[in-house]
Amino acid sequence: MRLSLVLNLEKLSFELYKKSTQGSTFMSKRSTNLESFMEGVISHNPGEVEFHQAVREIAADIIPWLQDYPEYMEAQILERMAEPDRVISFRVCWEDDSGNIRVNRGYRIQNNNAIGPYKGGIRFHPSVNQSILKFLAFEQTFKNSLTGLPMGGGKGGANFNPKGKSETEVMRFCQSFMTELYRHIGADVDVPAGDIGVGAREIGYMFGQYKRITNHFTGVLTGKGIEYGGSEMRPEATGYGAAYFLEEMLKTKGESIDGKNVLISGSGNVATFAAEKINHRGGKVLTLSDSAGFIYDKDGIDEEKLKWVMELKNVRRGRISEYADKFSGAEYHADKRPWGVAADLAMPCATQNEILEDDAKTMLSNGIMAVSEGANMPTQIEGIHHFLASKILFAPAKAANAGGVGMSGLEMSQNSERRSWSNEELSKMLRDLMIGIHKNCNDAGIQKDGWCNYMAGSNIAGFKKVADAMMAFGVV
Ligand code: NDP
Ligand code: 2IT
């Protein structure tokens, strides 16, 4: 009798508690309306404009979708994903060749490890700040989920400019950066890789310093050299993957890359391998760029010219303007981006916000059929709106460039199994991975009229797996 009274009182107080919290904590207004949600994000992260942009792009698709999934809304899953698990910021001191002491700021943003260890690249560029790395770590969480592999989302970097630095300066910087970073990472904790300004050379210096400090030879970084635990196909994976995604989108319209004119921006890792795959598929690459301007080669940047560009960028560390001196018929346009050149397909592969609203309008008026984003967040939101409204094939970065981190996930598997797969095996795995990501995004984004909104599809497909894992863990 007394027991049932206690139980009834408990039930009553739970009902009262539920009533009192409805409309406030649980059913927050922030979750039901994009603008009020964004107000919260903006006031919580003042001045972090790139982070606001990345959250808005995802929230615009997720919030309407959540209306059918009140359990995620009540658990405030989107709010929790937009708050990084951890933001680490640290001083990086090093000595330049003239004996001057230099001070940079290093970061690691550990955004979300619901489905696996934090995973994502390291960027060395003077523009690096907390906002840019938070946007990249947030995006990475969704991208990694799309790969289907067990990887959480993270990103790191420093406002260090590798341009014009000697080999030994780059080495000393990488060693100093790792001397702090090593305590925050691990093969089962957080596995960084490359990004802008961080390639095989920098990964080698960082891995060497990690091993020296910890005496552990583990898969703590990906993008390593083949001799010390790296994976075949990792250098090619992002660019090739973005071309495969483009190919899959075109197939849905009975089209192919063969015979198409293609605009590519950037001339680094992603851009050059995207160009290589476009050539393999019979497309003609018209442009490449760097931060100082772009080159336009109406005859096409074929395999041989591309080899020269790779040597220019990776060995001589030169500028893309030199291309126009080397190859007759090519033009160099200083301080401009390639989007004014008429073409069928575009692959922005340099950096964030490189396609502005007017660029998108120009590309559409020139008849662009498809855009596959090799870089992270290269198109401004207004530009995306134009692409979507025109119902062209638009592959957002988190789907199109997921081949890079996907291959990193396979490098992690090879490291923990202490084995390595062949180039042929990994080439097939990359192709299958991109076909699978395309299918999942297409299934989630297909509209009644047959056009696919890959943006919404990738956001929803990426969100769901992370959300379900977070639900399983309760409120943590
Ligand atoms: P790289 O450093 O190899 O190349 C970057 C290229 O972009 C260079 O040509 C560089 O020119 C240009 N660039 C960099 N910053 C700017 C800028 N602010 N304005 C104009 N051009 C710029 O980097 P990646 O190729 O690795 O990365 C390119 C993009 O792809 C980034 O958005 C990155 O986040 C994304 N990405 C990379 C992955 C990878 O596996 N590497 C995976 C997925 C996405 P310059 O030499 O003048 O600086
Ligand atoms: O943006 C990205 O996906 C990357 N820079 C690659 C990350 C990785 O861990 O391979």
Side-chain angles (χ1 to χ4, degrees), residues 215-338:
N215 202 27
H216 287 168
F217 195 114
T218 63
V220 70
L221 293 169
T222 60
K224 299 184 293 297
I226 295 290
E227 309 76 18
Y228 56 92
S231 176
E232 290 284 348
M233 289 303 295
R234 178 62 189 89
E236 293 89 342
T238 311
Y240 277 22
Y244 291 148
F245 200 98
L246 180 62
E247 187 173 43
E248 289 308 301
M249 291 197 303
L250 289 168
K251 269 190 201 163
T252 66
K253 301 280 170 219
E255 290 279 359
S256 73
I257 293 172
D258 191 25
K260 302 282 189 312
N261 288 326
V262 189
L263 304 180
I264 298 184
S265 64
S267 46
N269 170 267
V270 181
T272 49
F273 284 109
E276 186 165 277
K277 187 50 69 182
I278 293 294
N279 273 310
H280 291 170
R281 291 295 195 255
K284 189 199 259 191
V285 179
L286 297 181
T287 63
L288 288 172
S289 72
D290 62 21
S291 50
F294 81 93
I295 51 119
Y296 168 41
D297 186 341
K298 62 178 179 344
D299 301 325
I301 302 163
D302 61 19
E303 291 237 40
E304 206 177 305
K305 293 171 180 174
L306 207 49
K307 274 213 175 71
W308 182 89
V309 173
M310 287 180 178
E311 203 261 344
L312 170 80
K313 292 307 246 185
N314 301 332
V315 182
R316 290 198 284 125
R317 301 196 181 262
R319 311 301 298 153
I320 201 67
S321 58
E322 295 172 45
Y323 183 100
D325 304 330
K326 170 85 182 162
F327 299 106
S328 60
E331 300 166 11
Y332 175 63
H333 298 267
D335 299 323
K336 292 218 158 55
R337 293 184 297 265

Side-chain angles (χ1 to χ4, degrees), residues 119-121 140 143 155 191 193-195 222 234 376 401 404-405 408:
K119 179 86 196 85
Q140 197 83 42
K143 183 196 308 192
K155 200 86 186 188
V191 183
D195 194 79
T222 60
R234 178 62 189 89
N376 285 309
N401 73 29
V405 74
S408 278

